[in-house]
Amino acid sequence: MSILETIQQPSDLRTHSVAELTQLAEEIRQALLTKLSNTGGHVGPNLGAVELTIAWHYVFDSPHDKIVYDVSHQSYTHKILTGRKQAFLDPAHYHDVSGFTEPRESEHDFFTIGHTSTSVGLAAGLVLARDAKHSHDHITALIGDGSLSGGLAYEALDNAAVLNRQLLIIVNDNQWSIAEDHGGIYQNLKALRDSEGQAPDNLFKALGLDYRYEAQGNDIGALIKALEAVKDLDHPVVLHVNSQKGRGYAPALANEEGWHWHQPFNLADGSLKHPAQGVNYWDLIFADLDHQVQAGKPIYAMNAAIPGSFHLKNWAAKYPKRYIDVGIAEQVSITLAAGMAKGGLRPVVFHSATFLQRAYDQLSHDLGINELPVVLLINGGRISGGDPTHQADLDQAELANIPNLKYLAPSAKEDLLAQLDWALEQTSGPVAIRVPSNGVHSDPLAADFAPEQMHVLHHGSHVALMGLGSMRPLAEEVAGRLSQHGIDATVIDPRSTNTLDVAGLEQLRGLHQLVVTMEEGTLDGGFGQKIAAYFGPTDVKVLPLGAKRQFNHNETREALLTQFNLTPETATQAILDALK
């Protein structure tokens, strides 16, 4: 019998010796690799946190004692030990659990967390609640070195230092963020590692926190001793643990960034099971930006810790002095870009649709109010299911309602590049471009192209279909289906999420009784509502099709598209019903 078979709950760990727990770590590591090779997921962070998780559950009593994982993409071993191992051992149950901690799944999880730098603040809040109730549970925050680059982590550490109550802060230092670490803090972490925690400069002590160091972050015996030594301290303490990202799998150790999160792979050699084919928008974008640099434009490419999402490493290699990675610090990426634009540079900031919300104040205050011509390229904006922490359909309503910020939504590579060139020339304010999420489409640039002017692809009557960005192909397919019902629908590419082409909209009146908007974003605050508000005083009826304002937990994208009437069949039927 394997050791893993004997573990039904965390307390079962205490029936085993350290040697047996070390064997358990290897069994868990193999289970993780087997599942992830089939499903994809966060490989490196979880392989590196196996021993630390086992040791914590050995020393503490979950769920009475509580651990809050930062980002929580390293919580797979925690799930295995807390009654959810079937989701990692049985292919039929691989999708029973999320990739992050989720209170809906287990009493051992306390927050749904998928974004970074939150653990210390959340844990400190639990400490205050615990002491108000006079209970005696131990509270732990586990934060990675990459998460320390986020400003929220500093704010929380600063406040935790004066709690004067039991709080354990484990800094899991594997020397990596998603990609390599960036920022001055990492010089101090290295000095602490090199000196076994004895370096005279210590950022944690400087904040007023107690500090301990454990060099053997993948040694269960050493970790148990380190945790037992700090378990009952009556004040906040940082336990700095040196661990290894991707431990136990050679491909993950050879490319820590590439294996932070990975698509399904062949376990034997790490090769992709389904390699990507053909051209992509990012290569086209960088070719255009390269041309702009050669023409003398002072372009700088910037991102917040996820260069792999945009193929930015090639740019960084060619233009190292024109590349900035601020680490997991979305807020400063925007404020820094604002300052650069004010000084005459032309920063292009690459962001994920689901991470950019962390910088909302900076988008509004530093860019919008100051009308600074920063260009933002937004990746992954689409209706997404299965994980509310990385939900990607909220960006349109967020960005499109910031004054002075233009949010463009091209549908083909020609429009995208033309809009990018225009954004880099104009100086009236920030411009965001939502890069299409449905693969590269090509369509000759209209002779009368204007970046914010809607483009009529087909002139019809009675019904006008407005397919925003990646919804354009749906609008075109629905038009074909409507023709089978005797309806010759007008098909429109709006090009912008928040600038209404009034002249173009006025031309729809008289010939059209119904305008249908299709968008990969929430209806509340979205494009469809803006069109509906415009036509409200008229006799033109508007049918907005888009996402409901909700967090998506277990739904698939396909199920959501059906629910929101954004499939060819459901959209066509919704239009026919509206015409009745």
Side-chain angles (χ1 to χ4, degrees):
M1 176 182 291
S2 69
I3 304 297
L4 184 53
E5 290 180 82
T6 70
I7 306 299
Q8 307 303 325
Q9 54 192 352
S11 59
D12 294 335
L13 294 170
R14 292 188 281 277
T15 67
H16 293 283
S17 66
V18 169
E20 290 171 329
L21 294 178
T22 301
Q23 178 185 333
L24 172 65
E26 294 311 310
E27 293 175 7
I28 289 176
R29 196 166 271 116
Q30 189 57 47
L32 292 174
L33 285 168
T34 300
K35 174 180 176 173
L36 294 173
S37 69
N38 286 284
T39 65
H42 288 94
V43 180
N46 283 287
L47 294 180
V50 175
E51 288 84 3
L52 180 56
T53 308
I54 292 172
W56 188 90
H57 277 291
Y58 181 92
V59 172
F60 293 94
D61 179 23
S62 181
H64 174 72
D65 295 330
K66 299 170 177 60
I67 183 169
V68 180
Y69 285 88
D70 212 285
V71 185
S72 83
H73 59 222
Q74 74 281 58
S75 63
Y76 295 2
T77 298
H78 166 75
K79 294 195 175 195
I80 289 174
L81 298 177
T82 54
R84 289 167 278 181
K85 66 181 178 182
Q86 187 180 34
F88 295 85
L89 300 174
D90 184 350
H93 293 276
Y94 275 169
H95 299 286
D96 287 359
V97 301
S98 80
F100 304 90
T101 54
E102 174 54 80
R104 297 179 181 213
E105 291 176 9
S106 172
E107 63 178 347
H108 296 271
D109 295 358
F110 303 98
F111 300 97
T112 301
I113 300 173
H115 285 186
T116 189
S117 310
T118 62
S119 63
V120 179
L122 291 170
L126 287 176
V127 165
L128 293 172
R130 174 200 64 197
D131 291 353
K133 294 183 294 185
H134 305 289
S135 59
H136 302 286
D137 42 316
H138 296 85
I139 307 296
T140 299
L142 192 152
I143 185 168
D145 53 309
S147 294
L148 288 176
S149 63
L152 181 57
Y154 287 106
E155 297 172 29
L157 288 168
D158 182 48
N159 281 274
V162 295
L163 275 178
N164 296 321
R165 307 159 190 255
Q166 183 279 322
L167 171 62
L168 172 59
I169 302 167
I170 300 175
V171 174
N172 182 25
D173 183 0
N174 60 28
Q175 297 93 69
W176 282 87
S177 180
I178 298 170
E180 67 277 358
D181 287 324
H182 289 274
I185 184 177
Y186 300 106
Q187 299 174 35
N188 190 234
L189 290 180
K190 183 179 186 303
L192 290 169
R193 291 194 305 272
D194 292 346
S195 65
E196 298 276 322
Q198 300 303 311
D201 293 327
N202 184 312
L203 66 101
F204 303 107
K205 288 185 176 181
L207 286 170
L209 291 157
D210 193 359
Y211 173 86
R212 311 292 169 87
Y213 180 75
E214 176 50 59
Q216 304 301 318
N218 294 102
D219 182 306
I220 290 177
L223 288 167
I224 289 174
K225 291 179 181 178
L227 290 168
E228 287 178 335
V230 298
K231 178 181 180 180
D232 292 318
L233 295 178
D234 62 357
H235 57 271
V237 58
V238 171
L239 176 60
H240 180 189
V241 174
N242 180 23
S243 64
Q244 184 181 45
K245 187 174 185 177
R247 186 177 181 86
Y249 189 53
L253 290 172
N255 182 4
E256 290 94 336
E257 179 184 347
W259 286 87
H260 176 82
W261 187 94
H262 207 281
Q263 297 178 28
F265 56 94
N266 296 305
L267 192 54
D269 61 1
S271 59
L272 283 174
K273 287 187 174 180
H274 311 291
Q277 302 291 331
V279 69
N280 64 80
Y281 279 118
W282 303 110
D283 290 342
L284 296 170
I285 287 168
F286 284 118
D288 188 65
L289 293 178
D290 183 73
H291 175 75
Q292 298 270 7
V293 170
Q294 298 305 317
K297 193 170 288 294
I299 290 174
Y300 284 70
M302 305 170 61
N303 90 113
I306 50 173
S309 298
F310 313 102
H311 302 194
L312 270 165
K313 287 303 182 72
N314 292 334
W315 174 275
K318 186 171 184 178
Y319 298 111
K321 293 184 178 180
R322 291 175 178 256
Y323 172 66
I324 299 172
D325 185 335
V326 299
I328 303 179
E330 290 83 0
Q331 292 171 295
V332 78
S333 74
I334 301 302
T335 301
L336 181 63
M340 294 167 67
K342 185 69 175 181
L345 301 179
R346 297 313 304 261
V348 180
V349 189
F350 295 76
H351 265 298
S352 160
T354 186
F355 294 155
L356 187 55
Q357 66 196 39
R358 292 162 53 84
Y360 194 82
D361 182 61
Q362 288 66 40
L363 290 164
S364 176
H365 186 276
D366 298 338
L367 291 189
I369 292 176
N370 289 281
E371 300 181 64
L372 292 167
V374 171
V375 177
L376 303 160
L377 291 172
I378 311 302
N379 181 33
R382 66 202 299 261
I383 291 171
S384 58
D387 174 20
T389 69
H390 286 63
Q391 191 166 319
D393 59 12
L394 305 176
D395 61 298
Q396 280 185 186
E398 291 168 346
L399 270 67
N401 291 296
I402 294 175
N404 299 328
L405 187 150
K406 301 180 185 299
Y407 198 9
L408 305 179
S411 63
K413 66 179 183 181
E414 290 81 5
D415 279 8
L416 167 63
L417 296 177
Q419 288 177 329
L420 175 58
D421 290 344
W422 171 81
L424 288 168
E425 285 295 327
Q426 63 84 39
T427 57
S428 61
V431 176
I433 300 176
R434 200 187 208 215
V435 178
S437 61
N438 58 335
V440 175
H441 288 254
S442 180
D443 190 41
L445 195 67
D448 60 346
F449 171 82
E452 299 175 278
Q453 179 179 308
M454 68 187 202
H455 178 39
V456 180
L457 303 167
H458 173 75
H459 290 275
S461 61
H462 300 298
V463 176
L465 307 176
M466 306 185 77
L468 184 66
S470 58
M471 286 283 102
R472 170 181 162 178
L474 175 64
E476 292 175 315
E477 184 168 351
V478 170
R481 289 173 178 256
L482 289 175
S483 68
Q484 300 172 16
H485 295 270
I487 300 170
D488 181 22
T490 295
V491 181
I492 298 169
D493 177 1
R495 288 194 178 131
S496 174
T497 71
N498 65 349
T499 302
L500 298 187
D501 180 359
V502 173
L505 292 174
E506 280 300 308
Q507 292 179 12
L508 299 179
R509 295 178 62 180
L511 291 176
H512 300 83
Q513 66 185 85
L514 178 66
V515 173
V516 183
T517 63
M518 304 172 182
E519 59 188 302
E520 290 233 42
T522 55
L523 289 174
D524 286 1
F527 173 72
Q529 280 193 351
K530 292 175 174 59
I531 298 299
Y534 178 83
F535 282 118
T538 75
D539 57 357
V540 178
K541 183 178 180 180
V542 178
L543 174 63
L545 300 180
K548 184 178 179 181
R549 180 168 57 90
Q550 65 183 28
F551 287 119
N552 305 325
H553 287 271
N554 299 317
E555 306 89 343
T556 64
R557 169 174 164 82
E558 292 70 24
L560 290 169
L561 291 176
T562 299
Q563 176 189 343
F564 301 148
N565 291 329
L566 287 172
T567 67
E569 299 81 7
T570 57
T572 302
Q573 189 58 53
I575 293 167
L576 294 174
D577 291 342
L579 290 172
K580 294 176 183 178

